[in-house]
Amino acid sequence: MLRNIYDWTMRLASKRRADYALGAIAFAESSFFPIPPDALLVPMVLANRRKAARLAFLCTIMSVLGGILGYLIGRFLFEGLALPVLAFYGYTDKFESFAAAYNDWGMWILVAGSLTPFPFKLVTIASGATGLNFTLFVVSSLLARGTRFFLVAGLIYAFGPSARDFIERRLALVFTAGLVALMGGFAVLTFLM
């Protein structure tokens, strides 16, 4: 099953309109979609390493724009839209204590959420809901998300053929490591709250 998903993603990554899908996923992941853009960024860079910087830039810009949507959801639509998202992730009860800590540590939480597999949508919504300074939010998001996506694209660019060979030979291990990293992001969130 993993091999079929991997092969499908690699085929999608080499299509002419894959950039649009990557931009849409990067935008949506920052405000409501559960799948990180790395799932498409990595195979797209593997498929065409010359586009690595452009794809990382696309991910960064679209992720920050999606993050702004998440911020606006948190700021203006918290009760109607953001609260159900937080409830879905099981964080409604802890939000008040989180908001107080967020006001003190918001920029660092934003940077950590931007750089790790931590669900960035939770950070963007929380930033708006707690009233984090908007300019600080945008600048920190640009720097941190840019660092993340350029680092991922740069590593895949630098180790392209060997990275692809490693991923294809050890697909289950790579998938498991990704899941562990994602669960680690949730564990960090639980610890911070």
Side-chain angles (χ1 to χ4, degrees):
M1 182 173 138
L2 284 177
R3 172 59 59 187
N4 290 338
I5 293 170
Y6 175 79
D7 291 340
W8 176 81
T9 306
M10 289 301 289
R11 282 192 307 276
L12 175 64
S14 63
K15 298 219 185 262
R16 200 167 52 101
R17 298 204 181 259
D19 292 14
Y20 295 114
L22 178 63
I25 289 171
F27 179 87
E29 183 268 340
S30 296
S31 51
F32 61 88
F33 193 63
I35 299 172
D38 308 64
L40 194 53
L41 175 63
V42 169
M44 287 180 70
V45 174
L46 285 172
N48 187 350
R49 290 173 45 208
R50 291 175 295 141
K51 292 171 57 175
R54 188 168 72 80
L55 295 171
F57 180 76
L58 174 66
C59 268
T60 301
I61 297 303
M62 294 307 290
S63 180
V64 172
L65 290 174
I68 291 171
L69 175 61
Y71 182 96
L72 294 173
I73 289 169
R75 187 76 177 143
F76 299 110
L77 303 172
F78 181 75
E79 289 294 321
L81 294 177
L83 199 54
V85 171
L86 291 173
F88 174 78
Y89 287 105
Y91 296 116
T92 307
D93 295 339
K94 299 178 181 180
F95 183 75
E96 285 187 32
S97 61
F98 175 74
Y102 202 96
N103 288 330
D104 294 334
W105 297 94
M107 184 188 84
W108 297 111
I109 294 170
L110 179 65
V111 168
S114 297
L115 292 173
T116 65
F118 184 79
F120 188 54
K121 71 196 79 20
L122 295 179
V123 174
T124 64
I125 292 168
S127 294
T130 61
L132 184 68
N133 178 283
F134 183 73
T135 303
L136 176 68
F137 170 79
V138 172
V139 170
S140 297
S141 294
L142 273 170
L143 293 174
R145 292 304 265 186
T147 299
R148 173 183 170 165
F149 294 130
F150 276 92
L151 182 62
V152 168
L155 287 172
I156 298 301
Y157 177 84
F159 299 105
S162 58
R164 185 174 188 162
D165 183 56
F166 178 84
I167 290 169
E168 289 179 355
R169 286 183 190 217
R170 296 166 186 88
L171 193 56
L173 175 66
V174 171
F175 179 75
T176 302
L179 282 178
V180 167
L182 183 62
M183 288 187 292
F186 279 110
V188 168
L189 177 64
T190 302
F191 175 74
L192 289 174
M193 293 178 90

